[in-house]
Amino acid sequence: MKILILGGAGSMALGGASYLMRYDDVSEIMMSDINLDDLNTKVSMFNSPKIKTLYLDALDKSALIEEARKYDVVLNCVGPFTQFGVPILESIIEAGVSYVDVCDDHDAAIDLMKLNDKAKAAGVSALICMGTTPGISNVQARVVYDMLDTCNSIKVAWAITTPDPAMTKGTYLEHLDGNNLMSPAAWDHLIHVATDNVPIWKDGKWDEIESIEHGEWVDFDLPLGRAESYYIGHAEPVTLAKYLDIKDFCACLGSIMPPVMKQLRLEARGHEDALYPPKENNKPLFKGTDIWQDRGVWGGQAVIAEGIKDGEKVRITARVQMGIHDAAAFNNSGQAIGTYMMGKGKIKDIGVFAPEVCIDPEPFFEELANYYSSDAQKKFSVDDVLMIQIEHIN
């Protein structure tokens, strides 16, 4: 299998390549970028004969088409997707090559889905929004959706804080804090999805909500614990509500440590404090499987579905978490597994699709468990990486 990665100097591309190079049947990974010097410096850490580099302007349509035709699958990590998503996918469709991207902007996802007919006509499989969130979160959503007889609502919630300093000594996370938690590109993305109103699915039709003003509590293992989360613009609601039969509500929540959230709200909305913060919650804290109790959980994502199962109202939550030594598997496996599955022909849908449509959850989470196990040198089961909680509700 030969893979072309666009935006190769970025963290999503580098992270995906770090796992794709482990597969014996991946013979070549061509990392491309417009900044070749920066790219060469970053990929030198891989020290792998499979990794090669190339100068490529992804907006040079003829050059991109010519290069893409040499590969089995193209992984697009060039952001922002509001600017680059559609023209790059149009070029890959014309090239007739299988495609995967990590789009996380709600408006860009809507525009990418409009290329479905073009992709179908060209016989191209295009998997969009295949990162962590969206990406892994969409496959989580498929799992809980399939467990219900009737799905009334799906909420996707991601949360991140800074890792426990006492546990990070000697790791690359040792000097991580709120000031260097995310790249400038990630911050620009957050400003974009936190500004103005964002789309949600409500009462069976599209509506809007004020971004990062309405809050709920979402629970994970300690030390992350109970995260103060806010509805925010993201790609999951616009694909989940399109492809799944969700009767009432679908939206995304995000949580960053409070000082960073205040800064985000100030820049995006002009004030620090949320208009509608979450009410106090006295429920017992969540406790996951035993393997997570000493891993220093500092990030995670939950998909919370409510509906009818066997004639009763239930809430089903699927959680995936990140500990001190699990950051790479959490952040990089979505794009790697999605790209590998596409290259192996395990995704057979023709057109433009999100992960909840064309990814089989069982082998996906089995592979994710393998990633966690390999990195941690400790055996993770599927139940450890995808923790399912079922609650009966009134």
Side-chain angles (χ1 to χ4, degrees), residues 57-72:
D57 181 350
L59 291 184
D60 184 336
K61 186 173 183 178
S62 59
L64 176 56
I65 291 172
E66 180 182 359
E67 188 64 28
R69 286 175 173 162
K70 302 174 185 176
Y71 299 89
D72 299 298

Side-chain angles (χ1 to χ4, degrees), residues 1 4 32 79 109 130 162 176 197 226 302 312 341 358 361 370:
M1 184 190 310
L4 172 63
S32 69
M130 190 65 249
T162 49
L176 186 67
N197 292 354
R226 184 156 288 156
E312 297 186 4
M341 293 178 75
C358 56
N370 290 336

Side-chain angles (χ1 to χ4, degrees), residues 105-141:
D105 294 315
H106 53 279
D107 39 5
I110 293 170
D111 290 338
L112 288 166
M113 289 188 289
K114 292 176 182 176
L115 297 178
N116 181 54
D117 289 343
K118 284 187 177 181
K120 278 188 174 181
V124 168
S125 293
L127 171 58
I128 65 171
C129 306
M130 190 65 249
T132 304
T133 170
I136 299 174
S137 57
N138 298 64
V139 191
Q140 290 173 248

Side-chain angles (χ1 to χ4, degrees), residues 113-302:
M113 289 188 289
K114 292 176 182 176
L115 297 178
N116 181 54
D117 289 343
K118 284 187 177 181
K120 278 188 174 181
V124 168
S125 293
L127 171 58
I128 65 171
C129 306
M130 190 65 249
T132 304
T133 170
I136 299 174
S137 57
N138 298 64
V139 191
Q140 290 173 248
R142 185 76 217 198
V143 170
V144 294
Y145 175 84
D146 286 344
M147 293 176 69
L148 293 168
D149 300 320
T150 301
C151 180
N152 294 328
S153 69
I154 293 182
K155 299 174 184 177
V156 177
W158 52 263
I160 189 168
T161 186
T162 49
D164 181 354
M167 299 183 69
T168 60
K169 293 191 181 301
T171 75
Y172 77 99
L173 300 172
E174 185 172 1
H175 303 293
L176 186 67
D177 58 32
N179 294 320
N180 57 16
L181 181 64
M182 55 200 97
S183 67
W187 185 253
D188 288 344
H189 160 68
L190 285 174
I191 292 292
H192 175 65
V193 298
T195 302
D196 300 324
N197 292 354
V198 294
I200 60 171
W201 182 252
K202 185 177 181 182
D203 298 328
K205 61 181 183 295
W206 290 110
D207 201 340
E208 293 183 339
I209 195 169
E210 302 155 295
S211 190
I212 61 172
E213 299 288 12
H214 302 258
E216 293 190 18
W217 297 104
V218 181
D219 287 5
F220 299 91
D221 268 311
L222 293 171
L224 176 57
R226 184 156 288 156
E228 185 177 348
S229 304
Y230 287 88
Y231 288 100
I232 193 168
H234 232 233
E236 289 99 330
V238 300
T239 67
L240 292 172
K242 175 181 174 64
Y243 296 123
L244 305 182
D245 183 13
I246 303 171
K247 304 298 184 185
D248 179 46
F249 188 79
C250 186
C252 183
L253 298 116
S255 173
I256 317 172
M257 65 288 300
V260 178
M261 185 62 84
K262 284 180 178 289
Q263 181 184 350
L264 175 62
R265 193 175 289 111
L266 182 62
E267 291 191 29
R269 306 196 63 85
H271 54 93
E272 290 189 345
D273 296 322
L275 298 179
Y276 310 101
K279 297 178 181 179
E280 289 300 320
N281 184 342
N282 295 318
K283 289 174 58 178
L285 284 172
F286 170 76
K287 184 176 181 180
T289 59
D290 289 345
I291 203 168
W292 285 105
Q293 302 315 305
D294 62 352
R295 302 200 66 77
V297 173
W298 61 285
Q301 56 197 40

